[in-house]
Amino acid sequence: MLMMATDPSFYEAHAVVLSNMGQHRQALVIYVFKMKDYAKAEEYCNHIHKTQDLPPSSSPDQNDTDNTDQPSIYHTLLSLYLRPPRPHKPNLGPALDLLSKHGSRLPATSTLSLVPDDLPVAQLESYFRGRMRSANSMVNETRVVAGLRRTSHLAAQALLYLGDGIPGGQAGRNRRVVVGEERMCGGCHKRPMSPGSVRSGDGGGLKNWGRV
């Protein structure tokens, strides 16, 4: 293990071992500070993000909540770029590139707390655009889901009250029934009286009120 940590030819193998142990920050430290391969560091984050169990779509407010037990893997990488351990210095270039590509996966509050105060806001334009696109996408998704649920509810109500319109199929509660002298109650086999009879949902037969 000591050789893997000190021999450059074993750096990546060491990172793989650390990753398998769940020590993602230490693996990223190797990619960022020892190998200085920022593309592989981002590729590593993409892989971890895909393999982690992600919660269902949530609202933008929930994405901004920083009270999570485990920070995003992208946030870990960003913190290594902007708040590196000594003696390393902040590396703004890869940090801005990460913000531009994966800003929607980085909570606004904790992310902006890492950004230097003297950084021009113009350099964060791509990050804010990504955040806004993500928020709009989630709002639109919520509206679509709500619309589909409402349509499904209306269709169920129409089927319940009007039936499916197929002969011999499901009858609706509001369908008119002609009560003639020859019609008999399917339960008591007595001649039904119109005010006291209803139509059952199974086959459209008549049943007296007390038999329903």
Side-chain angles (χ1 to χ4, degrees):
M1 183 66 72
L2 180 60
M3 180 181 295
M4 295 177 65
T6 56
D7 189 343
S9 60
F10 287 99
Y11 281 165
E12 189 163 9
H14 189 199
V16 171
V17 172
L18 292 172
S19 177
N20 292 335
M21 296 172 61
Q23 300 180 15
H24 302 304
R25 181 180 177 86
Q26 289 80 351
L28 285 173
V29 165
I30 292 177
Y31 287 118
V32 173
F33 301 120
K34 292 186 176 182
M35 298 176 62
K36 298 187 184 302
D37 193 331
Y38 309 128
K40 280 194 174 182
E42 181 185 352
E43 182 181 341
Y44 178 85
C45 290
N46 293 338
H47 173 70
I48 297 301
H49 177 75
K50 290 179 181 178
T51 56
Q52 285 177 339
D53 292 331
L54 298 178
S57 297
S58 56
S59 67
D61 291 339
Q62 289 175 321
N63 280 346
D64 281 341
T65 301
D66 295 328
N67 296 326
T68 55
D69 296 333
Q70 185 176 2
S72 162
I73 187 66
Y74 296 100
H75 186 271
T76 301
L77 179 57
L78 183 67
S79 66
L80 291 177
Y81 286 147
L82 298 179
R83 300 286 177 88
R86 294 180 180 180
H88 305 285
K89 296 181 179 180
N91 197 341
L92 192 58
L96 291 175
D97 185 59
L98 185 69
L99 286 170
S100 176
K101 294 179 179 178
H102 305 285
S104 61
R105 296 168 179 167
L106 291 163
T109 304
S110 57
T111 298
L112 294 178
S113 67
L114 295 174
V115 175
D117 295 335
D118 57 350
L119 181 69
V121 177
Q123 295 194 38
L124 295 174
E125 181 180 358
S126 59
Y127 166 69
F128 287 118
R129 283 185 176 178
R131 292 288 302 174
M132 288 187 290
R133 281 196 300 267
S134 176
N136 290 336
S137 176
M138 290 177 183
V139 170
N140 291 336
E141 180 182 350
T142 301
R143 289 176 178 173
V144 169
V145 170
L148 290 175
R149 287 178 178 173
R150 184 171 181 274
T151 301
S152 177
H153 178 68
L154 292 176
Q157 283 187 323
L159 181 63
L160 177 64
Y161 287 101
L162 302 178
D164 54 17
I166 301 175
Q170 180 175 338
R173 292 182 178 178
N174 286 354
R175 189 168 292 179
R176 293 175 178 270
V177 179
V178 178
V179 181
E181 294 183 358
E182 70 282 1
R183 301 293 297 272
M184 305 294 289
C185 172
C188 63
H189 304 289
K190 294 181 179 180
R191 189 170 296 165
M193 294 172 24
S194 179
S197 300
V198 294
R199 186 180 186 184
S200 66
D202 49 351
L206 289 174
K207 285 187 179 181
N208 284 328
W209 185 266
R211 292 280 181 177
V212 177

